[in-house]
Amino acid sequence: MVEILGALILLSVVAAIVAVLTPNILHSVISLGAVGFLLAIIFIFLSAPDIAIVQIGVEVISLVILVRATIGRQAQSSETPGHLVTKVAGVALVGVIAVFGIRMFSEFPKFGIAVMDRFVDAPSATYLRDGLADTGAPNIVTAVLLDFRAYDTLGEAVVLFCAVLGALTVLRRKARVETEKSEDEPI
Amino acid sequence: MSTTDRDPGMGMIVKTVARWLKGFILLYGIYIVLNGHITPGGGFAGGVIIACAFVMLTLAGGDQHGLQFFPQRAASSLDSIGLLIFLVVGWLGTWWASGMFFENFIATPSDARFELFSAGTIPISNIGLGLKVASSLFLVFTVLAALRLTAHDDKEAEKR
Amino acid sequence: MIYSLCLLLILIGLYGVMVSRNTLKIVISLVIMEHGVHLFLILVGYRSGGTPPIIDRETLSAAFTAQAVDPLPQALVLTSIVIGLGVLTLMVALCVRLYERYGTFDITEIRRLKG
């Protein structure tokens, strides 16, 4: 089980390296799609079916948005190679963080011990034990999301609202430029 | 919103198949939203799937095709109505029941579990969130998709 | 070992953000970092031989609490994935706007052509 997970994560790391290093942007977007779909499979192996459904839907929509932004504009041509100093600095910084990170993860509890077992009176144990009785919902993830921690979901809805508002505002002047050509009401 | 040249979309076969399939995808998305408290899913997953149905319509038929099915004013209104449903459900907890924000004030008798109409306010919140997520993603995708004409090349052509 | 691979995914995204000269490539690298962080959160909550945190009709309560994986990181990652999509659309909208204003996706040329 751990070997299958390790192999899948290694595959997604390879796809991520391809996405970052290739000069053609369209190839980069396709590799990003590979990372996302592999991640959905990894989530199913980690017993998180809820997350896998959301990940597949979100990955499809983000791929469509990125491909439409790339094709038709000159992003497809390869980018000019950057300075060597930037690349060396990037590799050095990433290397330092990797060394300290691997040192830290070797002191973590072994993979397979859930975070709620690592200390006493974790809230998740209460949610699993009393979730069905308190809320009446057999899906404990939904019960946590919409009953025990509903305030966080309100925050998420507000963030999504503001992000969409920002995107619509940034793209809006285009309609007014076109209305000078076509005498229409701006939205 | 009007665009000066319309995107023709894809061929006739793709348009016809998209027209048949949109009902099934919408039905599947609504099923996941409504059964969010029994099976994996919920408001977010169902909302994303419903948005995928409209994305498919826009890709198959061109920029205006998705808007003909779901006009922009309706999408903006449903967006706000979804968030308002969620807020009102939470606020009713303070005013009606024992005074806690987001309290689940409709109690579930223990023999009504695993049914569709159970779990108190959770299905109502799921519907509100599903509406909100689907409308937001559809709106922002349509506006991004309508920007096919690049204004920079247009200005360059005018200068010459 | 698995945690280190997940950290590697995050660091590849960080390297992409630092080194890329194309704004779309910066967006793609940010998305890779987000994927890595979501994966890490779900990995932390996994229990060996665990089942999804969803109760069937026939499950016994004691067996369920002993065997289910942690539901709290899953709830947080669920909202985070959808927020990631919203922020991605905002970033792509900005990139498209920059392209229309300056005619290029390259950040070094945008820095040169001010105003």
Side-chain angles (χ1 to χ4, degrees), chain A residues 62-130:
Chain A
S62 67
L63 271 184
V64 167
I65 289 179
L66 280 171
V67 165
R68 281 189 80 116
T70 308
I71 288 187
R73 303 186 174 99
Q74 275 104 26
Q76 247 181 295
S77 60
S78 52
E79 57 177 25
T80 57
H83 298 298
L84 192 59
V85 177
T86 319
K87 290 196 181 159
V88 166
V91 171
L93 180 63
V94 162
V96 164
I97 299 180
V99 162
F100 280 115
I102 294 180
R103 179 77 207 286
M104 172 185 77
F105 283 130
S106 67
E107 311 200 2
F108 248 43
K110 199 167 129 15
F111 172 65
I113 304 178
V115 73
M116 59 184 170
D117 293 333
R118 297 180 196 184
F119 53 97
V120 205
D121 67 343
S124 303
T126 319
Y127 298 154
L128 283 177
R129 203 177 43 232
D130 304 328

Side-chain angles (χ1 to χ4, degrees), chain A residues 14-44:
Chain A
V14 168
I17 292 180
V18 167
V20 164
L21 290 183
T22 180
N24 191 336
I25 306 295
L26 196 55
H27 299 173
S28 206
V29 170
I30 296 175
S31 299
L32 180 72
V35 172
F37 282 116
L38 275 171
L39 214 69
I41 298 178
I42 293 173
F43 285 149
I44 294 185

Side-chain angles (χ1 to χ4, degrees), chain A residues 22 74 112 115 117 124 170, chain C residues 25 47-48 55 70 97 99:
Chain A
T22 180
Q74 275 104 26
V115 73
D117 293 333
S124 303
V170 161
Chain C
K25 206 103 179 260
R47 186 182 259 170
S48 290
I55 302 182
D70 201 341
R97 261 295 178 222
Y99 179 76

